[in-house]
């Protein structure tokens, strides 16, 4: 997603092989399509899963529109295990709502990226248009304060 920013190198993500994997989670609800991976066949399988589900079921009336976000959550409820969830994307609301401390760094250890979703930005009192500035600021703070983004060995030293 365009509002996800790395705080560690991509190599820090534990591989799920070719399996379709979603790296951002709504606890007990399913995946958030902010960072995903899978083989070409897995992406095609998931596209079919989502379309088949959409044609087979009526979306809840509460939804005014259908999206990839809602589709992943509904599909996870209806068919658990359709995709892997590996929650390694941190929600920025956890950074913007309290002072940055060593404890914050400890919590950031499990994450490889930060998700600056529009709702968290708005709920923190910021304007949506400020997301790029907030992302640069908070990703930089996490990287500098927590020293999470260690350089990878070069090809010469590998």
């Amino acid at each position: 997603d365009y509002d996800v920013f790395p705080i560690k190198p991509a190599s820090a993500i534990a591989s799920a092989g070719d399996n379709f994997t979603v790296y951002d989670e709504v606890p007990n609800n399913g995946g958030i399509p902010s960072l995903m991976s899978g083989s070409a066949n897995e992406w095609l399988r998931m596209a079919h899963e989502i379309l088949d589900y959409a044609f087979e079921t009526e979306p809840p009336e509460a939804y005014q529109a259908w999206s990839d976000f809602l589709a992943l959550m509904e599909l996870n409820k209806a068919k658990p295990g359709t995709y892997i969830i590996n929650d390694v994307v941190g929600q920025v609301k956890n950074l913007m709502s309290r002072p940055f401390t060593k404890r914050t760094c400890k919590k950031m250890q499990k994450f490889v990226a930060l998700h600056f979703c529009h709702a968290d930005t708005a709920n923190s009192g910021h304007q949506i248009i400020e997301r790029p500035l907030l992302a640069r600021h908070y990703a930089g703070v996490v990287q500098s304060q927590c020293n999470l983004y260690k350089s990878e060995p070069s090809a010469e030293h590998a």
Side-chain angles (χ1 to χ4, degrees), residues 17-133:
D18 290 344
N19 299 315
F20 193 87
T21 306
V22 178
Y23 297 99
D24 198 353
E25 179 182 22
V26 175
N28 304 314
N29 225 355
I32 301 170
S34 65
L35 184 61
M36 302 174 285
S37 70
S39 67
N41 285 338
E42 280 289 281
W43 279 89
L44 187 59
R45 179 186 66 81
M46 282 301 295
H48 285 281
E49 289 279 0
I50 290 169
L51 286 172
D52 290 346
Y53 181 78
F55 286 121
E56 292 168 2
T57 60
E58 280 289 317
E61 287 186 28
Y63 297 157
Q64 295 178 2
W66 190 249
S67 68
D68 54 348
F69 175 73
L70 298 173
L72 283 178
M73 287 197 305
E74 291 298 321
L75 191 58
N76 187 60
K77 287 181 207 169
K79 297 172 79 176
T82 302
Y83 56 90
I84 295 169
I85 300 173
N86 180 7
D87 191 22
V88 294
V89 174
Q91 301 304 310
V92 77
K93 67 182 173 191
N94 299 324
L95 289 177
M96 293 193 290
S97 63
R98 57 185 69 100
F100 198 90
T101 64
K102 288 184 180 189
R103 188 172 179 212
T104 308
C105 285
K106 189 169 178 87
K107 288 182 179 183
M108 291 289 113
Q109 291 295 320
K110 81 174 246 183
F111 301 124
V112 297
L114 296 174
H115 187 193
F116 290 82
C117 75
H118 64 278
D120 290 347
T121 303
N123 290 338
S124 69
H126 294 282
Q127 300 293 318
I128 301 296
I129 197 165
E130 293 179 274
R131 278 196 295 179
L133 298 173

